Amino acid sequence: MLKRIWLIFGPVFWGLILAVAIIFFYPVKIDHSQLSELVDATSLTKDNFKSGDKKVRALSDPTLHFVPFFGSSEWSRMDKMHPSVLAEAYQRSYRPYLLGQRGSASLTHYFGIQQINSQLKDRQAVYLISPQWFVRKGANASAFQNYVSTGQIVDFLQQQTGSPYDRYAAKRFLRLNPDTIFTKMMEKVAKGKTLSSSDKENLVLQAKIFEKVDVFFSQFRFVNHQENIILPQVEQLPRKFSYEELEKIATQDGQYSSTNNSFGIEDEFYNKRIKNQLNYIEGSQKNFTYVQSPEYNDLQLVLNVMAKNHTDVLFVIPPVNSKWAAFTGLDLEMYEKSVAKIKYQLQSQGFDNIADFSKDGDKPYFMQDTIHMGWNGWLAMDKSVNDFISQERPAPTYRINDTFLTKEWARYEGDPSQFQP
């Protein structure tokens, strides 16, 4: 009987011993490793996305200039013209640190930024902002829950000051993730109340636990896109950099990879995701709108924290595949209206660095699938990104306008320049 009990509970006991050992005895220090950081920068795993240790280590490395690239699922489209491939192939002065997963949007990135505020101060960042994020209901709850970590929540709670932005962020958190051990603290923040001394002590303990566990598990890697995807792609590019030559290769790759459909979509994506669903998809997006969404308020959270950190940001706005939009009935005038609203929110507050590709969805081999850039699209983006990061420019001057945090702005459908809250 004792043997049977041990077989059942023994692993649990040793698991608890290991956890306690990690919490109390595992050393916390930053050991820079270019190889490890390059692997982390392109791994695109959920664990990497949530880890504070991996991001801080790479973004604070003085020998490699990592630049955070915020976005969503587009970063996984790793063809020869992908930002990480070109940066590696031509030994750019920077390396992209890819932050984004399917379903991640501004609220997810806002909480992720809590871990790297120090690494964003007076630095640069690239933020791909897709109009497809701006659906009526805003961020997807399951995706948000999947990507937010204990460390991010603790960092947010420890840094909150009772501002309208803190209150709004806490309310959005509770709406999308209402049942956590931090719910009562989030409710206090949402109501503008001060956290108690016991709350703060609890947060200190939680921070120490997360930091130890995060550092321990950061040493393990199960995905190596750097070795398996990035470097093999690099070997296929010309050694001498030339946009003209790269455009030829991008066009050839696009032609070769999209032969089985009339949309210019990559063959494998078409076969897996679209081919058997055409009858259901045709006309399915005719009632879509990206003009009214809480995502505009979530974006304001990001803009406010970027302004506080004096982060110089290049915003990239991708297009949608024009042929696909025509097939699904997506209203491109509505799409352009949402882009105009996004750009007004950015530019009126001093975020003037915008690479707008929203009208390029009909260009040959610009889109790899229905909504994600690839081939010539990546190359067009690279011209803007490389110029932004490589060229010296005056520090930005931001003018944060809190009215963009209101429900009235999220619901506004008129001329953005005429908005009156």
Side-chain angles (χ1 to χ4, degrees), residues 186-323:
M186 280 290 183
E187 288 174 344
K188 289 182 181 179
V189 176
K191 295 175 182 177
K193 295 182 178 179
T194 303
L195 297 180
S196 67
S197 57
S198 61
D199 288 334
K200 293 176 182 178
E201 290 172 3
N202 186 13
L203 290 173
V204 170
L205 176 62
Q206 291 288 346
K208 288 181 179 178
I209 293 173
F210 178 82
E211 183 181 32
K212 295 275 189 176
V213 173
D214 188 19
V215 171
F216 175 76
F217 284 105
S218 288
Q219 65 186 304
F220 303 110
R221 289 171 185 81
F222 305 101
V223 174
N224 191 338
H225 289 329
Q226 177 71 9
E227 181 178 338
N228 299 326
I229 300 178
I230 303 298
L231 294 180
Q233 302 268 36
V234 167
E235 292 299 317
Q236 300 177 52
L237 292 176
R239 294 194 175 185
K240 185 178 180 180
F241 177 77
S242 165
Y243 276 124
E244 185 178 354
E245 289 302 313
L246 291 176
E247 285 169 4
K248 290 178 182 178
I249 295 172
T251 299
Q252 290 170 358
D253 285 354
Q255 289 173 334
Y256 178 79
S257 302
S258 56
T259 61
N260 67 355
N261 62 90
S262 61
F263 303 108
I265 293 172
E266 184 186 44
D267 292 340
E268 185 178 356
F269 183 92
Y270 180 80
N271 287 336
K272 287 184 177 180
R273 303 280 293 274
I274 296 174
K275 186 176 180 179
N276 297 325
Q277 307 292 326
L278 282 177
N279 292 336
Y280 304 100
I281 295 174
E282 186 173 10
S284 61
Q285 297 182 341
K286 61 184 178 182
N287 295 320
F288 278 24
T289 181
Y290 306 137
V291 181
Q292 291 185 314
S293 173
E295 182 66 27
Y296 289 97
N297 301 147
D298 294 349
L299 172 61
Q300 187 63 17
L301 284 176
V302 172
L303 299 185
N304 182 59
V305 75
M306 291 294 191
K308 281 186 173 181
N309 289 326
H310 305 287
T311 309
D312 196 8
V313 192
L314 172 67
F315 289 89
V316 179
I317 303 177
V320 65
N321 185 316
S322 297
K323 293 179 180 178

Side-chain angles (χ1 to χ4, degrees), residues 11 33 61 94 104 121 132-134 147 149 163 194 242 259 266 283 287 331 349-350 381 418:
S33 165
D61 192 331
Y94 63 91
S104 59
K121 288 189 183 300
Q132 281 85 7
W133 297 355
F134 293 76
Y147 300 138
S149 72
S163 72
T194 303
S242 165
T259 61
E266 184 186 44
N287 295 320
D331 184 351
Q349 298 181 92
M381 175 180 154
Q418 301 301 313

Side-chain angles (χ1 to χ4, degrees), residues 243 355 357 360 363 366 373 375-385:
Y243 276 124
F357 301 109
D360 294 335
K363 291 184 177 179
F366 202 91
M373 294 195 298
W375 306 310
N376 284 320
W378 279 141
L379 207 53
M381 175 180 154
D382 182 75
K383 294 177 182 178
S384 297
V385 170

Side-chain angles (χ1 to χ4, degrees), residues 105-122:
S106 292
L107 191 66
T108 301
H109 288 307
Y110 171 75
F111 278 94
I113 287 170
Q114 306 307 307
Q115 296 174 305
I116 54 173
N117 272 308
S118 296
Q119 288 68 44
L120 287 177
K121 288 189 183 300
D122 302 311

Side-chain angles (χ1 to χ4, degrees), residues 11-200:
V12 176
F13 172 78
W14 286 113
L16 289 172
I17 293 296
L18 177 61
V20 171
I22 291 173
I23 292 170
F24 288 101
F25 300 110
Y26 197 79
V28 175
K29 60 179 180 178
I30 295 179
D31 290 322
H32 292 294
S33 165
Q34 289 191 8
L35 178 59
S36 296
E37 290 163 9
L38 285 168
V39 171
D40 291 339
T42 58
S43 71
L44 291 173
T45 64
K46 180 176 72 174
D47 291 336
N48 265 51
F49 196 26
K50 297 167 73 169
S51 171
D53 177 67
K54 288 177 181 287
K55 288 179 282 193
V56 168
R57 180 172 52 185
L59 296 176
S60 62
D61 192 331
T63 60
L64 273 180
H65 179 200
F66 283 102
V67 175
F69 277 48
F70 299 94
S72 53
S73 54
E74 59 280 322
W75 300 139
S76 64
R77 272 64 181 176
M78 292 181 174
D79 61 47
K80 294 189 190 77
M81 306 303 152
H82 187 278
S84 297
V85 176
L86 293 181
E88 180 69 36
Y90 299 109
Q91 295 299 297
R92 296 275 172 76
S93 61
Y94 63 91
R95 293 290 189 280
Y97 196 99
L98 305 177
L99 296 168
Q101 296 259 302
R102 182 180 180 183
S104 59
S106 292
L107 191 66
T108 301
H109 288 307
Y110 171 75
F111 278 94
I113 287 170
Q114 306 307 307
Q115 296 174 305
I116 54 173
N117 272 308
S118 296
Q119 288 68 44
L120 287 177
K121 288 189 183 300
D122 302 311
R123 300 282 294 276
Q124 292 176 307
V126 174
Y127 197 99
L128 192 146
I129 180 167
S130 175
Q132 281 85 7
W133 297 355
F134 293 76
V135 294
R136 285 189 186 276
K137 292 184 179 180
N140 179 275
S142 61
F144 177 73
Q145 293 170 20
N146 201 28
Y147 300 138
V148 72
S149 72
T150 298
Q152 294 169 9
I153 300 168
V154 169
D155 286 342
F156 166 76
L157 289 170
Q158 288 184 317
Q159 297 173 47
Q160 67 86 29
T161 61
S163 72
Y165 290 87
D166 293 333
R167 296 198 299 273
Y168 173 81
K171 289 175 184 177
R172 288 288 286 148
F173 180 95
L174 290 168
R175 185 175 182 84
L176 297 179
N177 196 14
D179 299 314
T180 72
I181 62 172
F182 302 102
T183 295
K184 291 191 180 299
M185 289 191 223
M186 280 290 183
E187 288 174 344
K188 289 182 181 179
V189 176
K191 295 175 182 177
K193 295 182 178 179
T194 303
L195 297 180
S196 67
S197 57
S198 61
D199 288 334
K200 293 176 182 178

